Amino acid sequence: MENILVAGANGTTGKQIVKLLKASQYFNPIAMVREREQMEQFSNQKIDVVCADLTEDLTHAIEGVDKVIFAAGSGGKNVVEVDQEGAKRLIAVSKMANVKKFVMLSSMGADNPEAVEDLQDYLEAKQNADEHLKNSGLNYTIVRPGTLNNSEGKGKIELKEKFNKQGEISRADVAQTLVRALHDDAPKNSTFEILEGDTLIGEALSASSAVVS
């Protein structure tokens, strides 16, 4: 089984990612949390957990890790230091550790932050993090969902390199897409957007294998 570091494991989407990985026959989750008091909820479930802060040294967090999912976020409080520079720190140590894939949870609009004025700072941070990953030399997948909601997952999405519309998607389906992107047959070095849709997640990703950016 491959060890998957989940940055942002204590978040709403992060917890769903960890749960999916735990149920998988291919992956072993390593939940990365910022506070020591957040560790117990995972260790009680016999899930590996590491305490690490994205604003500090992350070398210890990457030990023994095969692949990474970055699903962390500051919730708008510290977007440059966490969403941007924190991602860059994790990318740097991932490269040093020769991780086999880095899956980034980004956001629709990250390719054009100026178009969404009230989210411009956040989207600029995501854009900078995404570009840093693209230029890192790591094998990557960047997933840019629409507006997240807490609806029940359908296991189906609509996937395009770039939509010309807005839309929503459940955190559950985003989590499933991020986990599916870890598989070796998933798109390599690709960036795509996802919304709720009618195509099974696995089929949508297989069909997008030709989408490389």
Side-chain angles (χ1 to χ4, degrees):
M1 294 180 81
E2 292 182 313
N3 288 324
I4 312 299
L5 182 70
V6 182
N10 196 52
T12 310
T13 306
K15 286 177 180 174
Q16 297 193 50
I17 293 167
V18 171
K19 186 176 180 181
L20 289 169
L21 292 171
K22 181 67 174 171
S24 164
Q25 59 182 314
Y26 305 107
F27 306 121
N28 173 58
I30 303 173
M32 180 176 140
V33 297
R34 188 164 55 90
E35 308 288 350
R36 294 214 163 267
E37 53 266 30
Q38 297 169 343
M39 297 177 74
E40 190 175 345
Q41 62 181 312
F42 295 107
S43 56
N44 284 346
Q45 301 174 65
K46 295 184 167 49
I47 293 168
D48 292 334
V49 59
V50 61
C51 189
D53 191 324
L54 286 165
T55 65
E56 297 174 4
D57 180 54
L58 298 170
T59 310
H60 68 287
I62 208 73
E63 291 175 8
V65 169
D66 296 298
K67 296 176 180 176
V68 173
I69 294 180
F70 186 93
S74 64
K77 300 182 187 78
N78 197 3
V79 291
V80 172
E81 191 57 31
V82 175
D83 301 74
Q84 176 180 300
E85 296 305 314
K88 288 183 180 181
R89 284 187 192 90
L90 191 54
I91 290 164
V93 294
S94 296
K95 188 157 174 71
M96 285 167 49
N98 295 312
V99 303
K100 292 186 280 185
K101 189 162 197 181
F102 195 110
V103 178
M104 175 78 86
L105 173 55
S106 184
S107 174
M108 279 180 66
D111 59 332
N112 186 20
E114 297 79 15
V116 190
E117 194 170 321
D118 55 338
L119 290 174
Q120 185 171 341
D121 290 347
Y122 167 73
L123 292 174
E124 281 180 355
K126 297 304 289 183
Q127 180 184 55
N128 291 335
D130 290 355
E131 290 303 314
H132 191 79
L133 178 56
K134 288 179 185 179
N135 295 324
S136 69
L138 287 168
N139 174 21
Y140 69 86
T141 299
I142 297 170
V143 180
R144 291 174 169 169
T147 303
L148 302 180
N149 63 48
N150 293 316
S151 300
E152 191 172 337
K154 298 195 304 179
K156 296 180 179 181
I157 58 172
E158 185 179 2
L159 183 154
K160 285 190 177 181
E161 188 173 2
K162 173 69 178 172
F163 284 102
N164 57 6
K165 63 179 181 180
Q166 302 295 314
E168 294 191 357
I169 187 167
S170 70
R171 296 181 197 282
D173 286 331
V174 171
Q176 269 205 55
T177 303
L178 294 168
V179 170
R180 186 65 185 77
L182 292 168
H183 288 268
D184 292 334
D185 63 348
K188 293 178 171 62
N189 300 328
S190 64
T191 305
F192 52 80
E193 299 180 347
I194 56 172
L195 296 171
E196 57 188 22
D198 299 314
T199 305
L200 289 168
I201 289 170
E203 288 180 13
L205 264 70
S206 296
S208 76
S209 291
V211 179
V212 176
S213 59

